[in-house]
Amino acid sequence: MTFTRASDDSPAYIGGSDIESRIRVAELLDRYLVSLDQQVLDADWAAALFTPDAVVAFPISRHEGLAGMAEYHATALSAFAATMHLGSPAVVEVHDDTATLLANLMSTHVPHGAQEDACQLFVTGTSVHGRARHTPLGWRLSELDFRLVWSQGIPPGRA
């Protein structure tokens, strides 16, 4: 078993099992989801998670490329006073220096000015399909595709 250190301090497994790579790719999705709720989104955040040519696609919009990725997410989240993204464990398959991932996600969105009334919440269940690549800086997400399965409530601007 041989490990090397990538510049992001994450071990890159060379030869043998791909368990370490699967863990690293799943951690990318976890960090992404948690960071959305913390809303600390800047260029460093985007570079630590995405490849330069990354694509993020939601049911209502999409963004391509690392440039503007943080602003895209910040703008989308600005419609809400708070959010909570709860993801299932990701199923990750690694093929050399690329990986695919699949997870389920429940997202709760609290509109600005919402009272403590659950009826005002906008909640979604989505299926997350993604891809990642191993880069000189470690694993990075190259694609995230959020597919709406169900929703409850009314999103802002549609009332």
Side-chain angles (χ1 to χ4, degrees), residues 79-104:
F80 306 103
T83 60
M84 176 72 58
H85 294 82
L86 302 173
S88 72
V91 176
V92 178
E93 294 184 17
V94 175
H95 309 280
D96 298 320
D97 64 347
T98 63
T100 59
L101 66 89
L102 175 64
N104 292 320

Side-chain angles (χ1 to χ4, degrees), residues 29 32-34 36-37 58 84-89 102-109 123-128 146-150:
L29 181 61
Y32 170 78
L33 295 174
V34 168
L36 293 178
D37 301 328
F58 293 105
M84 176 72 58
H85 294 82
L86 302 173
S88 72
L102 175 64
N104 292 320
L105 173 64
M106 281 189 59
S107 303
T108 303
H109 308 81
V123 184
T124 61
T126 57
S127 177
V128 182
F146 296 85
R147 301 174 188 179
L148 184 66
V149 177
W150 59 268

Side-chain angles (χ1 to χ4, degrees), residues 4-99:
T4 60
R5 290 269 173 207
S7 62
D8 67 354
D9 236 9
S10 63
Y13 190 72
I14 304 209
S17 172
D18 63 4
I19 292 172
E20 185 70 25
S21 293
R22 285 188 280 148
I23 291 169
R24 294 293 177 203
V25 171
E27 283 177 342
L28 281 173
L29 181 61
D30 292 343
R31 282 192 289 129
Y32 170 78
L33 295 174
V34 168
S35 67
L36 293 178
D37 301 328
Q38 295 172 343
Q39 294 191 20
V40 179
L41 311 172
D42 58 21
D44 290 338
W45 166 83
L49 292 171
F50 296 102
T51 61
D53 61 345
V55 175
V56 175
F58 293 105
I60 60 170
S61 66
R62 70 186 266 129
H63 181 81
E64 296 183 34
L66 192 57
M69 186 68 78
E71 294 82 3
Y72 168 76
H73 282 84
T75 299
L77 290 169
S78 71
F80 306 103
T83 60
M84 176 72 58
H85 294 82
L86 302 173
S88 72
V91 176
V92 178
E93 294 184 17
V94 175
H95 309 280
D96 298 320
D97 64 347
T98 63

Side-chain angles (χ1 to χ4, degrees), residues 122-144:
F122 177 57
V123 184
T124 61
T126 57
S127 177
V128 182
H129 300 251
R131 296 184 185 282
R133 279 198 316 264
H134 194 267
T135 73
L137 298 174
W139 285 97
R140 297 293 186 266
L141 296 166
S142 58
E143 179 184 345
L144 286 177

